[in-house]
Amino acid sequence: MSSKTVESSEKQQRGDVTSAKASKKEAKLQFQLKVPKGTKDWADKDMVIREAIFNSLSSLFKRHGGVTIDTPVFELREILAGKYGEDSKLIYNLEDQGGELCSLRYDLTVPFARYVAMNNIQNIKRYHIAKVYRRDQPAMTKGRMREFYQCDFDVAGVYDRMVPDSEALSILVEGLQGLGINDFKIKINHRKILDGIFKVCGVKDEDVRKISSAVDKLDKSPWDAVKKEMVVEKGQTEETADRIGEYVKLNGSLAEVLEVLKQKEELTSNEFAAQGLEDMEILLTYLDAFDITDKVSFDLSLARGLDYYTGLIYECVTAASAPPENAAELKKKKQGKEDEDASEYVGVGSIAAGGRYDNLVNMFATATGKKNVSIPCVGVSFGVERIFSLIKAREAAKTEESIKPTATQVFVMAFGGGPDWKGLLPERMRIAKQLWNVGIESEYVYKAKVNPRKQFDAADKSGASVAVILGKEEFAEGKVRVKRLGQQFADDDGEIVPLEQVVSKVQEKLSEAKDDHGYDNVTRLLKGL
Amino acid sequence: MSSKTVESSEKQQRGDVTSAKASKKEAKLQFQLKVPKGTKDWADKDMVIREAIFNSLSSLFKRHGGVTIDTPVFELREILAGKYGEDSKLIYNLEDQGGELCSLRYDLTVPFARYVAMNNIQNIKRYHIAKVYRRDQPAMTKGRMREFYQCDFDVAGVYDRMVPDSEALSILVEGLQGLGINDFKIKINHRKILDGIFKVCGVKDEDVRKISSAVDKLDKSPWDAVKKEMVVEKGQTEETADRIGEYVKLNGSLAEVLEVLKQKEELTSNEFAAQGLEDMEILLTYLDAFDITDKVSFDLSLARGLDYYTGLIYECVTAASAPPENAAELKKKKQGKEDEDASEYVGVGSIAAGGRYDNLVNMFATATGKKNVSIPCVGVSFGVERIFSLIKAREAAKTEESIKPTATQVFVMAFGGGPDWKGLLPERMRIAKQLWNVGIESEYVYKAKVNPRKQFDAADKSGASVAVILGKEEFAEGKVRVKRLGQQFADDDGEIVPLEQVVSKVQEKLSEAKDDHGYDNVTRLLKGL
């Protein structure tokens, strides 16, 4: 960085009164030009791909009767308090500048529950696509950011058991398939079954949540490490840990594992576990109706970190997103290095997840003096940044540059020369305006005198498939040339038409060119074609 | 608010292990359920209208060759420093939780300039639709919020004078017209002309910005008050103030006012003013090419508060958005009351605005040690919340409830009864899934046993235009009924078809019902039909 002050360098560049004033104020300004840690700018093709993902998911959510809401990016601090367990330390706070204390939202679920409780809503299917904030250790290449999007669909209301739960799973499957992701597995489990297991294995009530969070590490750590955590750090007996170990190693198809668990009398005689097993039995019928039973595996090691889940929980991983087998091993070797480096051995994690949370709305309602409010909820959340990484990798595997960031279809140019040549700029503008008026994406070079080569280059960069060319002589006779663009049309001179027919001729050429231009290719990319 | 603790009331409601744990943590939780001051939840029809506005504007921006970017909601604090003049006190800061100091973005312009400088971008047309944050005194009914959306289109790059400027004005006109707003006027002015005027009237260089901000108040305060501010608070002589007064009272068509100013020799001989007048002369030609000259009025009292403008500036008001004639008077009467109350007499303000800022990118580039970077910019910003208020008022004027928040087209029902009746819930799910698979928005009641009345009510609420009905006897024979919904079809029994034809029959009925259902009405609303 240069040690030169802004003031001195700006004085050289600017002569006007305004900036002379401004530069004085900035005199002390000396800094690196960057975005905050764990955040990034999105641009170009990436934005086109991401918007296509959002469109795909919001169409899906609408298809299931969802309405959308938009809550503030920050909430009163007390709204978020006590909802995220150990992760609460990752919440971003706003500075106390007088007035209320606020924090950036950590997810979209707590604001949703606050919204439902605040407005006395009895039932709603809502989707919400928005950014959330976590002061986590970023691992950008894996899609772990401090600012990232969530795409959530949640159902609130009293309904028959497992009906909205199974639809949430169907939405998960449809959502991924709609994005060309077919190679995935949804791990499911049930908080009440887990609670029952911990209970019958001898865990005290007050230790349940911390044992649950130890179990949750089984996807990244071997059993021995998790057992050690339970015994050494979390005060359980060897015997309790071993008995838990027998249970949480179980996984397989929903029907299979359910059959095994139903044989365990200690479990079926526990009130919570029995409720959970009944839920899973009902779920099986509905998953069958939705024809998604084969997408699901019952995995007793799935615990999910968040405090608020009370029933069915699920997490979706793809082969591409799973951490490598030896993640723990590799991590160990890296010790001494920064966390961020070590995390490169962790996969992108789950690409979608969710579960049932029956008490969150009540918690808000009760905290504000309302009684006996029971609005059970279930939801699913898509990790867009992670899904984006997968789709981006798919695009990188293609050789040709297939997606354009602009939607431009027509480029308006003028060719001429000689001493009296002014470049027909207002005339190009007039034609562009006619095209805009009928909804056609059109551009022209923002210069009066510009040679044909530069105009063709600009047209090429824009991705336009049709050119309107104002030739000096032709235009003097009230005519313009309309031609297709692209290498295969290099020898095609197009057609000369009277000025008043330019719009209709452009429309004709565009309908010939339909689907030719790169902007539409994102649809093909999303479908994995 | 009840003084009962969460713990005791929650214990009554919940029996499971999970919540017994959670409730202990929440024991101290006692608060009001609300959103932070100056923010709001968006939902229902309002969301449908707002999304339609966003879609209309982003199509417009794409039509002009725009690409979109997404920057983080917070920036490093030093990025925002010194860009907003007196308004800097309205910036929201994030708490210092270790690491970088950050602030929420105040507009989309400064992050855009930071993005352009940081990535060495030579030219770009970008649009950005996102929330910005200002710790202002909220006036919610007028659309003045602390969290609100901006829709910006900006052009960066070295081009022929006034070419992108005139396109920005054309975009402004097209944007509003595309939303059915036709009764508006764009006030334009030029910072260099203003600077020249101040100079020739005797204002010292260092006083220019504060005199400019005094002039900016002329749309809300009478000349006498502004003059007093200049003389008493801002130390100008009576004569200087009076001479400024003569100039800033000028307004009219661009051609007229330009003619008047060109006669003033003191002005044409000032370097800055002469440049500005030349710009306005060029602009006239291009506005004519875009056929928008009649939308524009040259108003020398327009100054715009922000520090960074350097050339053409503009602000758009509608009859509906202008403050009442006697705003200042009414405000005076209210003195002693809270600011928020007084502001109810202020109109929704400008609904779109923008201008040229040629030094902002340079400022960033220079601050980080780069030299001689010159990336001039011009942009336009739509105030969506304010535009929303206008469109919402238009909707309120209509008598019928025309917009539905859901996109639901089909409702799947089952009718039956008797002791063996289970409600055909998995069968309804199976049919809904078939409809989802071909992209049809479909719902069903999430209950097994539910009577026809309740199912019709739910269908009505969803806005569905077609019902699939599983009648007990018909379904036993592998058949379902497909019928149109809505009052005019009350006596229409629909058609009975074999199960395997349900999708094609639904598609047939839907194409008959096309445009009948409320969700599409938002298009009509936006067009002001």
Side-chain angles (χ1 to χ4, degrees):
Chain A
M1 207 190 298
S2 159
S3 65
K4 209 169 173 204
T5 66
V6 177
E7 190 173 9
S8 64
S9 60
E10 292 222 327
K11 269 190 186 155
Q12 291 169 350
Q13 280 181 47
R14 312 180 198 162
D16 58 301
V17 182
T18 309
S19 60
K21 290 288 91 42
S23 67
K24 215 165 216 177
K25 274 193 212 154
E26 320 294 312
K28 300 267 154 44
L29 216 63
Q30 276 293 349
F31 52 87
Q32 256 192 298
L33 219 46
K34 55 177 188 147
V35 292
K37 187 175 176 184
T39 70
K40 61 172 279 195
D41 294 321
W42 288 79
D44 299 326
K45 273 199 278 191
D46 286 358
M47 271 305 271
V48 177
I49 296 172
R50 202 182 68 177
E51 292 212 320
I53 295 173
F54 289 165
N55 287 338
S56 176
L57 290 175
S58 53
S59 299
L60 166 72
F61 297 150
K62 282 179 191 163
R63 210 143 63 224
H64 285 262
V67 296
T68 187
I69 68 166
D70 177 27
T71 64
V73 81
F74 47 82
E75 294 275 344
L76 294 181
R77 200 165 296 170
E78 53 214 12
I79 298 286
L80 306 189
K83 307 296 186 304
Y84 302 108
E86 290 176 9
D87 288 343
S88 293
K89 63 179 185 297
L90 303 180
I91 294 174
Y92 274 100
N93 292 328
L94 292 187
E95 190 178 287
D96 181 4
Q97 294 171 286
E100 303 153 334
L101 293 180
C102 299
S103 298
L104 298 187
R105 63 183 165 215
Y106 183 85
D107 64 10
L108 302 176
T109 310
V110 168
F112 170 63
R114 190 266 306 147
Y115 169 80
V116 170
M118 189 172 122
N119 297 285
N120 293 312
I121 289 167
Q122 293 307 304
N123 52 68
I124 186 172
K125 300 190 214 178
R126 89 85 180 77
Y127 69 92
H128 193 179
I129 299 180
K131 287 174 172 178
V132 301
Y133 299 87
R134 300 182 182 181
R135 297 181 59 256
D136 212 340
Q137 200 52 249
M140 319 267 292
T141 50
K142 309 288 165 187
R144 178 145 50 85
M145 310 280 289
R146 291 182 161 195
E147 175 187 60
F148 60 98
Y149 265 95
Q150 283 191 336
C151 293
D152 284 18
F153 184 96
D154 292 79
V155 180
V158 176
Y159 298 113
D160 279 9
R161 271 164 83 177
M162 306 314 281
V163 181
D165 311 58
S166 57
E167 188 163 325
L169 288 171
S170 185
I171 287 172
L172 205 169
V173 172
E174 291 166 43
L176 294 177
Q177 286 175 340
L179 295 168
I181 299 171
N182 295 293
D183 178 24
F184 61 88
K185 201 84 196 171
I186 306 170
K187 295 194 265 182
I188 65 170
N189 198 0
H190 198 296
R191 272 278 169 99
K192 285 185 179 162
I193 298 178
L194 268 184
D195 286 348
I197 289 172
F198 296 145
K199 189 105 181 169
V200 303
C201 293
V203 178
K204 291 197 197 89
D205 280 3
E206 61 268 30
D207 291 343
V208 164
R209 278 284 69 77
K210 63 187 186 190
I211 294 308
S212 187
S213 86
V215 166
D216 198 41
K217 292 170 187 158
L218 274 176
D219 60 337
K220 286 170 198 155
S221 307
W223 167 248
D224 288 349
V226 171
K227 182 183 168 183
K228 197 175 154 195
E229 181 177 331
M230 287 184 186
V231 176
V232 180
E233 292 171 41
K234 295 182 170 166
Q236 305 303 308
T237 64
E238 284 264 346
E239 197 208 335
T240 293
D242 285 336
R243 288 186 62 193
I244 293 172
E246 287 311 304
Y247 276 109
V248 299
K249 279 175 196 162
L250 287 173
N251 68 74
S253 79
L254 176 53
E256 274 167 25
V257 176
L258 199 52
E259 214 40 57
V260 173
L261 294 180
K262 277 158 66 183
Q263 305 308 317
K264 312 250 179 195
E265 218 209 292
E266 61 172 11
L267 210 56
T268 53
S269 61
N270 174 281
E271 186 195 347
F272 304 121
Q275 279 177 26
L277 291 171
E278 219 175 86
D279 276 354
M280 293 307 232
E281 191 89 49
I282 299 171
L283 182 67
L284 193 53
T285 311
Y286 297 151
L287 295 188
D288 205 42
F290 288 138
D291 197 20
I292 55 170
T293 314
D294 61 324
K295 289 290 174 192
V296 162
S297 104
F298 192 172
D299 187 330
L300 283 163
S301 75
L302 177 74
R304 311 263 311 122
L306 299 174
D307 272 10
Y308 51 64
Y309 289 117
T310 56
L312 184 71
I313 48 179
Y314 32 90
E315 198 169 282
C316 180
V317 289
T318 76
S321 77
E325 295 284 326
N326 57 346
E329 198 61 22
L330 286 166
K331 198 161 182 171
K332 214 180 275 175
K333 282 192 191 150
K334 277 276 195 177
Q335 269 171 6
K337 280 231 180 192
E338 263 193 15
D339 271 350
E340 191 162 351
D341 284 331
S343 65
E344 78 195 48
Y345 297 108
V346 180
V348 302
S350 69
I351 53 170
R356 173 162 286 282
Y357 50 102
D358 283 349
N359 296 320
L360 199 53
V361 175
N362 314 18
M363 217 182 270
F364 284 121
T366 321
T368 54
K370 287 173 201 160
K371 288 171 202 167
N372 300 319
V373 176
S374 176
I375 308 287
C377 298
V378 64
V380 58
S381 178
F382 290 87
V384 191
E385 250 84 357
R386 291 168 176 187
I387 290 171
F388 174 85
S389 302
L390 296 179
I391 291 176
K392 185 78 182 166
R394 196 195 291 164
E395 195 220 355
K398 292 189 176 184
T399 45
E400 79 276 34
E401 281 273 325
S402 54
I403 295 169
K404 300 268 180 197
T406 49
T408 306
Q409 302 210 63
V410 178
F411 214 91
V412 186
M413 313 180 185
F415 298 169
D420 60 335
W421 176 243
K422 290 204 181 72
L424 294 174
L425 180 52
E427 291 75 11
R428 280 184 271 151
M429 289 173 157
R430 212 177 287 272
I431 289 169
K433 179 80 175 190
Q434 286 177 49
L435 296 169
W436 295 330
N437 281 346
V438 296
I440 297 171
E441 297 84 354
S442 310
E443 291 188 88
Y444 53 92
V445 171
Y446 288 165
K447 286 183 180 169
K449 294 193 185 176
V450 53
N451 65 37
R453 181 74 260 140
K454 284 198 173 153
Q455 293 183 79
F456 274 118
D457 285 350
D460 192 41
K461 204 180 150 204
S462 78
S465 51
V466 168
V468 174
I469 300 170
L470 285 62
K472 192 178 178 181
E473 282 79 27
E474 290 155 11
F475 193 75
E477 295 165 11
K479 290 175 186 160
V480 296
R481 188 181 297 268
V482 181
K483 83 178 272 325
R484 296 281 300 275
L485 290 169
Q487 250 180 336
Q488 67 273 41
F489 300 100
D491 298 328
D492 173 4
D493 287 336
E495 292 175 62
I496 296 176
V497 296
L499 204 47
E500 56 274 19
Q501 287 171 29
V502 63
V503 171
S504 60
K505 184 53 72 180
V506 163
Q507 283 168 327
E508 186 190 312
K509 295 273 176 196
L510 280 178
S511 77
E512 288 170 28
K514 205 165 178 287
D515 289 334
D516 262 19
H517 71 113
Y519 195 75
D520 291 336
N521 286 343
V522 69
T523 317
R524 286 194 277 275
L525 175 70
L526 281 201
K527 291 188 173 145
L529 300 177
Chain B
M1 206 191 299
S2 159
S3 64
K4 209 169 171 205
T5 67
V6 178
E7 189 172 10
S8 64
S9 61
E10 292 223 325
K11 267 189 184 155
Q12 293 168 350
Q13 281 182 45
R14 314 182 198 158
D16 57 301
V17 182
T18 308
S19 60
K21 288 290 90 43
S23 68
K24 214 166 218 175
K25 275 193 212 155
E26 320 296 311
K28 298 269 152 45
L29 216 62
Q30 277 292 348
F31 52 89
Q32 255 193 297
L33 219 46
K34 55 178 187 143
V35 292
K37 187 175 176 184
T39 71
K40 60 173 278 193
D41 294 321
W42 287 80
D44 300 325
K45 272 199 278 190
D46 286 357
M47 272 304 272
V48 177
I49 297 172
R50 202 182 68 178
E51 293 212 318
I53 295 172
F54 289 164
N55 287 339
S56 176
L57 290 175
S58 54
S59 299
L60 166 72
F61 298 149
K62 282 179 190 161
R63 210 142 63 225
H64 286 263
V67 298
T68 188
I69 69 166
D70 176 27
T71 63
V73 81
F74 47 82
E75 295 274 345
L76 295 180
R77 199 164 295 170
E78 52 214 12
I79 298 285
L80 306 190
K83 307 297 185 303
Y84 301 109
E86 290 176 9
D87 289 343
S88 293
K89 63 180 186 294
L90 303 181
I91 294 173
Y92 275 99
N93 292 328
L94 292 187
E95 190 178 287
D96 181 3
Q97 295 172 286
E100 303 152 335
L101 293 181
C102 299
S103 298
L104 298 187
R105 63 183 165 214
Y106 182 85
D107 64 10
L108 302 175
T109 310
V110 168
F112 170 62
R114 190 266 306 148
Y115 169 79
V116 170
M118 189 173 122
N119 296 287
N120 294 312
I121 289 167
Q122 293 307 303
N123 52 67
I124 186 172
K125 299 190 214 178
R126 88 87 180 75
Y127 68 93
H128 193 179
I129 298 180
K131 287 174 173 177
V132 301
Y133 298 87
R134 299 180 184 182
R135 297 181 59 256
D136 212 341
Q137 200 53 247
M140 319 267 293
T141 51
K142 309 288 163 185
R144 178 144 50 86
M145 310 280 291
R146 290 182 161 194
E147 175 187 60
F148 60 98
Y149 265 96
Q150 283 191 337
C151 293
D152 284 17
F153 184 95
D154 292 79
V155 180
V158 177
Y159 298 113
D160 279 8
R161 271 163 85 178
M162 306 314 282
V163 181
D165 311 59
S166 57
E167 188 163 326
L169 288 172
S170 185
I171 287 173
L172 203 168
V173 172
E174 292 167 41
L176 294 178
Q177 287 174 341
L179 295 168
I181 300 170
N182 295 294
D183 178 23
F184 62 87
K185 201 82 193 171
I186 307 169
K187 296 194 264 182
I188 65 170
N189 197 2
H190 198 295
R191 271 280 169 97
K192 285 185 179 161
I193 297 178
L194 267 185
D195 286 348
I197 288 171
F198 297 145
K199 190 104 180 170
V200 303
C201 295
V203 176
K204 293 197 196 90
D205 281 3
E206 60 267 32
D207 291 342
V208 164
R209 278 282 70 76
K210 62 187 185 190
I211 295 308
S212 187
S213 84
V215 167
D216 199 40
K217 291 170 186 158
L218 273 176
D219 60 336
K220 285 170 197 153
S221 308
W223 166 248
D224 287 349
V226 171
K227 183 183 168 183
K228 198 176 153 193
E229 181 176 332
M230 287 184 185
V231 177
V232 180
E233 293 172 40
K234 295 182 173 167
Q236 305 302 309
T237 64
E238 284 265 343
E239 196 211 334
T240 293
D242 285 337
R243 288 186 63 192
I244 293 173
E246 288 310 303
Y247 275 109
V248 298
K249 279 174 194 163
L250 288 173
N251 67 75
S253 80
L254 176 51
E256 273 167 27
V257 177
L258 199 51
E259 213 42 56
V260 173
L261 294 180
K262 277 159 65 184
Q263 304 308 319
K264 313 247 179 198
E265 218 209 291
E266 60 172 13
L267 210 58
T268 53
S269 62
N270 173 280
E271 185 195 348
F272 303 122
Q275 279 178 26
L277 292 172
E278 218 175 88
D279 276 354
M280 292 308 231
E281 191 89 48
I282 300 171
L283 182 67
L284 193 54
T285 312
Y286 297 151
L287 294 188
D288 204 43
F290 287 139
D291 197 20
I292 55 171
T293 314
D294 62 323
K295 289 291 176 193
V296 161
S297 102
F298 192 173
D299 187 330
L300 283 163
S301 75
L302 177 74
R304 311 264 310 124
L306 300 173
D307 273 9
Y308 49 65
Y309 289 117
T310 57
L312 184 71
I313 47 178
Y314 32 90
E315 198 169 283
C316 180
V317 289
T318 76
S321 77
E325 295 284 326
N326 57 344
E329 198 61 24
L330 286 166
K331 198 160 182 174
K332 214 180 274 174
K333 282 193 191 148
K334 276 277 195 176
Q335 268 171 7
K337 281 231 179 190
E338 263 195 15
D339 271 351
E340 192 162 350
D341 284 333
S343 66
E344 77 194 48
Y345 297 109
V346 180
V348 304
S350 69
I351 54 170
R356 173 162 286 282
Y357 49 102
D358 283 350
N359 296 319
L360 199 53
V361 175
N362 313 18
M363 217 182 272
F364 284 121
T366 322
T368 52
K370 286 174 200 158
K371 287 172 204 168
N372 300 321
V373 175
S374 176
I375 308 287
C377 298
V378 65
V380 58
S381 178
F382 290 87
V384 191
E385 250 85 357
R386 291 167 176 189
I387 290 171
F388 174 86
S389 301
L390 297 180
I391 292 177
K392 185 77 182 166
R394 195 194 291 165
E395 196 220 354
K398 292 187 174 183
T399 45
E400 79 275 35
E401 281 273 326
S402 55
I403 295 169
K404 300 268 181 195
T406 49
T408 306
Q409 303 210 61
V410 178
F411 214 91
V412 186
M413 313 180 184
F415 299 167
D420 61 335
W421 175 244
K422 289 204 181 72
L424 294 174
L425 180 51
E427 292 75 10
R428 281 183 271 150
M429 288 172 157
R430 212 177 285 273
I431 289 169
K433 178 81 175 190
Q434 285 177 49
L435 295 169
W436 295 331
N437 281 346
V438 295
I440 298 171
E441 297 84 353
S442 309
E443 292 188 87
Y444 52 92
V445 171
Y446 289 164
K447 285 182 179 169
K449 294 194 185 174
V450 53
N451 65 36
R453 183 73 258 142
K454 284 197 172 154
Q455 294 182 81
F456 274 117
D457 285 351
D460 192 41
K461 205 180 149 204
S462 78
S465 51
V466 168
V468 174
I469 300 169
L470 285 62
K472 191 178 180 181
E473 282 79 27
E474 290 155 11
F475 193 77
E477 293 164 14
K479 290 175 186 161
V480 296
R481 188 181 297 267
V482 181
K483 84 178 269 332
R484 298 280 301 276
L485 289 168
Q487 250 179 335
Q488 67 273 42
F489 299 100
D491 298 327
D492 173 4
D493 286 337
E495 292 175 61
I496 296 175
V497 296
L499 205 46
E500 56 275 19
Q501 287 170 28
V502 64
V503 171
S504 59
K505 184 53 74 182
V506 163
Q507 283 167 326
E508 187 189 314
K509 295 272 177 197
L510 280 179
S511 75
E512 289 170 26
K514 205 166 178 287
D515 289 335
D516 262 19
H517 71 112
Y519 194 74
D520 291 336
N521 285 344
V522 69
T523 317
R524 286 193 277 275
L525 175 69
L526 281 202
K527 292 190 172 143
L529 302 177

